[in-house]
Amino acid sequence: MQQKAEERSNRFRMTAALLSFLLVAPVLLVTGGPVYDSTNKIVPLVLWHGMGDSCCNPLSMGAIKKMVEKEVPGIYVLSLMIGKNVIEDTENGFFKDVNEQVSMVCDQLAKDPQLKGGYNAMGFSQGAQFLRAVAQRCPSPPIKTLISVGGQHQGVYGLPRCPGESSHICDIIRKALNSGAYSDLVQKHLVQAQYWHDPLNDDLYKKHSLFLADINQERSVNETYKKNLQRLEKFVMVKFLNDTVVDPVVSEWFGFLKTGQAKETETLQESVLYKEDRLGLAAMDKAKKLVFLTSEGDHLQFTKEWFDTNLLPYLR
């Protein structure tokens, strides 16, 4: 028992070290009137936190949940906890298979009577692409508006910001991702590997990526995914212009690096995904369902005024 406790403690210390360079926690005071659905009920809001955060961190998601509840009396806000407690929730953001996480969330949402009429969803960083997977795989209850705050919808290819280039943890993670991101072991046990997108090894990515390649229709076109995503009323994507965490930052707008090299990027509209409309994004764009927003800040850093001006209108 003592040995297991020590192992768990060591694992959590490693997680905490990772958080020191990946956790950015915005605290927002959200104002505005309640949002109603067609039955005159306030539309619930579901939140999914980013890597290194948790559902109930008092400096981030916990504060956002309380502020929204205070400013919009009667609203039901569900901040997703992946696990039995905050420690598990934080650890699972690094180590729990993403497909299992999405399945757990789909089950939780389907059983929640408060959400049966549908809900708005807001995902922060990796939580955004996870919520998109929920929209594609689990249309009941339906997401009405999906807001992606710094999500990486075409994945990442780099960890640019670390606490010093001599950090052993940064070196270990970079090595694992660069040399073994698509191995079965790393894919199953490192969340970030499941949305690691290597433009220099496109065949490996398409064949072995357990999560991103699937939801982005890289291997085949799942018509159900396509149909379900197009049910969204709005899909809002926020890109942070001075982001030092996400590489490449155009992934926050569904763009990425051109295949076969690692310098030149392409927009969503220039991609095969869009031109062949493999996910329905071109049709959504034509229907004005896609919204592309920017913030001048670093990753997940924005002001209350920016939030009120840019995001609240899509929740009204």
Side-chain angles (χ1 to χ4, degrees):
M1 289 291 291
Q2 182 177 359
Q3 183 178 0
K4 289 183 178 180
E6 290 177 353
E7 290 176 354
R8 184 175 180 82
S9 177
N10 289 336
R11 186 182 179 195
F12 185 66
R13 280 197 294 269
M14 179 179 178
T15 301
L18 291 170
L19 310 191
S20 67
F21 71 92
L22 291 169
L23 174 58
V24 186
V27 179
L28 307 175
L29 178 59
V30 182
T31 62
V35 182
Y36 295 94
D37 64 13
S38 59
T39 63
N40 208 34
K41 293 181 180 179
I42 301 173
V43 176
L45 177 63
V46 173
L47 307 172
W48 197 330
H49 61 80
M51 173 171 55
D53 206 351
S54 73
C55 66
C56 314
N57 186 329
L59 299 178
S60 57
M61 305 308 294
I64 292 172
K65 180 178 184 294
K66 288 182 179 179
M67 297 299 181
V68 172
E69 291 169 338
K70 180 180 179 181
E71 296 299 321
V72 187
I75 191 172
Y76 176 67
V77 182
L78 174 63
S79 185
L80 294 167
M81 176 187 288
I82 312 301
K84 298 178 181 179
N85 53 55
V86 170
I87 293 176
E88 282 191 13
D89 189 22
T90 305
E91 290 183 341
N92 286 337
F94 291 104
F95 305 120
K96 188 172 184 63
D97 181 275
V98 179
N99 293 308
E100 292 180 13
Q101 294 189 49
V102 171
S103 180
M104 288 172 56
V105 167
C106 286
D107 185 60
Q108 179 182 355
L109 299 180
K111 293 178 179 178
D112 193 330
Q114 300 273 15
L115 304 176
K116 63 182 180 180
Y119 60 97
N120 294 319
M122 184 177 295
F124 295 83
S125 199
Q126 69 180 21
Q129 56 260 37
F130 299 170
L131 277 172
R132 176 164 64 84
V134 171
Q136 293 174 207
R137 295 174 179 175
C138 310
S140 181
I143 298 178
K144 296 176 179 293
T145 293
L146 173 60
I147 299 178
S148 167
V149 186
Q152 306 96 45
H153 293 282
Q154 276 286 12
V156 297
Y157 186 58
L159 288 173
R161 191 180 75 185
C162 288
E165 291 302 313
S166 62
S167 168
H168 295 304
I169 292 176
C170 291
D171 290 342
I172 291 170
I173 293 177
R174 281 198 181 102
K175 184 176 180 180
L177 291 173
N178 282 314
S179 64
Y182 301 121
S183 69
D184 291 340
L185 180 64
V186 175
Q187 277 288 306
K188 287 293 292 182
H189 297 289
L190 185 61
V191 165
Q192 291 67 45
Q194 292 189 21
Y195 57 87
W196 183 257
H197 188 169
D198 187 345
L200 303 178
N201 291 284
D202 194 54
D203 290 341
L204 283 177
Y205 158 67
K206 290 180 177 178
K207 183 177 181 179
H208 297 290
S209 171
L210 293 180
F211 175 70
L212 188 68
D214 176 66
I215 66 166
N216 282 4
Q217 310 274 51
E218 297 283 13
R219 291 184 280 265
S220 61
V221 174
N222 183 326
E223 292 295 339
T224 299
Y225 283 4
K226 187 175 179 179
K227 178 179 68 175
N228 288 342
L229 189 64
Q230 290 182 87
R231 289 178 175 174
L232 292 174
E233 295 173 7
K234 291 289 183 182
F235 180 12
V236 182
M237 289 172 271
V238 178
K239 179 173 72 173
F240 292 90
L241 299 179
N242 294 296
D243 202 313
T244 62
V245 174
V246 175
D247 185 15
V249 71
V250 293
S251 185
E252 297 176 351
W253 273 6
F254 237 121
F256 202 64
L257 295 159
K258 292 184 177 180
T259 302
Q261 50 85 57
K263 291 184 178 180
E264 189 177 354
T265 62
E266 64 182 10
T267 65
L268 166 65
Q269 289 77 9
E270 294 169 334
S271 69
V272 172
L273 178 69
Y274 187 93
K275 291 178 179 178
E276 295 182 358
D277 207 14
R278 297 174 67 84
L279 196 50
L281 292 169
M284 293 177 71
D285 199 12
K286 185 177 180 180
K288 301 188 183 304
K289 288 187 174 184
L290 301 186
V291 180
F292 301 92
L293 302 177
T294 62
S295 172
E296 293 291 337
D298 198 349
H299 193 58
L300 303 187
Q301 295 297 288
F302 47 87
T303 65
K304 171 186 176 298
E305 291 75 20
W306 182 92
F307 183 88
D308 289 348
T309 299
N310 293 278
L311 296 187
L312 277 183
Y314 297 103
L315 298 178
R316 292 194 172 117

